[in-house]
Amino acid sequence: MAVSRSTVLELFPALQQLDPKTIDPLLGQSQIHHFPAGTRLFYEGESCNRFLLVLKGSVRVQKLTDNGHEIVLYHVNPGQSCRLTNSCLLGGQRYPAEAFTETEVELLSIPKQAFKHALDHSSALRDEIFSAIDGAMSHLVRLVEDVAFGHLDHRLAQFLLDHTQQQSQLKMTHQVLATELGTAREVVSRLLKEFERNGWLKLHRGSVEIIDREALAEL
C-alpha cells in the first residue's frame, strides 16, 4: 500500500525537517502493513532490519521470564516508534523480547539502511530516536525496581487506578493483568478476590469494576 506522506509527517513530526531529496526516497522504500490483533510482529532472537512506526492500533512488547511468566515491557501507540527496535537498529543487536499486536494495527516499516540515511540527515530525527530510547531505559529501570522491590498488591492497585481514570470498569482478564504485572494469574486472581472482599471492586467475567478508588489509592 502506498505511504501517505501527510499522514506519516503528522504522526511523526521529526521527519518534517528532512529535505525532499531525503524524505521522498525514504517513504518510497517504506511499506504499510496491516495486522489483525494477536499477531506476533517479532520474536526474541530475531534480527532487526526495519524501523517500525505505528500508524493505528496498539502493540505490546513483552519478555518471557525465567520462571515462565510473561511481563509487559511497554506498549507502542499511534505516532510512536518501537523503542526496542530503535535500539537494536543502532546497536546491530537481535531482539531481546517479542512483540504482539493488541488490536488491529497499521504499521509503517522503513528499511534499516534508509532509516540510518535519514538519521544522518536530520538532527531532529536523531534527537527523537535517542529521546525515545532514553525514555524506554528509564521506564525499564522503574519496571525492574517495581518487580524486584515493589509489593504486588500496591502495583495491582496502581495499575487498576491508572487504567480506569475515565471509566469505572476495566475490560481485562486476570491472565492479561498477570502478564502486565509479570506474575502468575493465580496470584492476581487471589489479590482481586481480596480486593473484592474489602469492597474496593467487583469482579465480572472478563472485567473489573472499581467501587472504592480512595481505598485503592491509599493502598
Side-chain angles (χ1 to χ4, degrees):
M1 179 179 292
V3 180
S4 170
R5 174 172 176 166
S6 60
T7 299
V8 173
L9 294 183
E10 180 180 353
L11 284 171
F12 206 61
L15 292 176
Q16 294 179 7
Q17 289 198 8
L18 292 172
D19 60 71
K21 292 183 179 179
T22 302
I23 187 65
D24 290 340
L26 178 72
L27 296 182
Q29 297 179 62
S30 304
Q31 293 180 312
I32 288 183
H33 304 278
H34 291 85
F35 300 97
T39 302
R40 180 159 66 178
L41 297 180
F42 56 77
Y43 57 86
E44 185 170 350
E46 182 180 356
S47 59
C48 180
N49 52 28
R50 301 185 75 86
F51 172 76
L52 303 178
L53 175 65
V54 174
L55 302 178
K56 295 180 182 178
S58 176
V59 173
R60 179 181 73 255
V61 179
Q62 64 185 40
K63 174 77 173 178
L64 186 66
T65 63
D66 291 338
N67 57 7
H69 299 313
E70 295 171 334
I71 182 170
V72 174
L73 302 180
Y74 59 87
H75 301 268
V76 190
N77 297 309
Q80 296 179 338
S81 59
C82 177
R83 283 88 80 188
L84 196 59
T85 297
N86 298 343
S87 178
C88 291
L89 282 174
L90 295 176
Q93 303 297 317
R94 294 179 178 270
Y95 282 113
E98 58 186 359
F100 290 86
T101 57
E102 297 184 295
T103 63
E104 189 174 334
V105 165
E106 185 176 273
L107 190 72
L108 175 74
S109 70
I110 300 174
K112 180 178 181 178
Q113 293 306 317
F115 168 69
K116 287 193 170 183
H117 178 75
L119 278 182
D120 291 339
H121 291 77
S122 172
S123 59
L125 181 59
R126 287 196 301 273
D127 291 343
E128 176 75 20
I129 296 303
F130 290 139
S131 176
I133 293 175
D134 180 66
M137 289 300 297
S138 298
H139 170 76
L140 292 178
V141 169
R142 291 194 299 270
L143 178 61
V144 170
E145 290 176 341
D146 286 343
V147 173
F149 308 115
H151 294 285
L152 189 58
D153 55 345
H154 298 175
R155 293 172 56 216
L156 176 58
Q158 187 65 58
F159 184 91
L160 294 173
L161 291 173
D162 288 343
H163 289 78
T164 55
Q165 294 181 6
Q166 305 301 323
Q167 69 283 328
S168 62
Q169 197 160 3
L170 175 64
K171 294 183 178 181
M172 190 173 289
T173 65
H174 294 191
Q175 181 57 62
V176 173
L177 275 169
T179 300
E180 290 282 349
L181 297 172
T183 187
R185 180 187 59 80
E186 294 78 9
V187 176
V188 167
S189 296
R190 175 177 57 80
L191 288 174
L192 287 173
K193 289 177 181 177
E194 181 180 329
F195 288 1
E196 186 176 44
R197 285 194 297 270
N198 292 337
W200 301 345
L201 52 79
K202 187 173 181 59
L203 298 177
H204 303 280
R205 186 175 181 84
S207 67
V208 178
E209 181 183 0
I210 306 301
I211 303 298
D212 191 339
R213 294 186 66 86
E214 290 185 1
L216 291 174
E218 288 181 7
L219 177 61

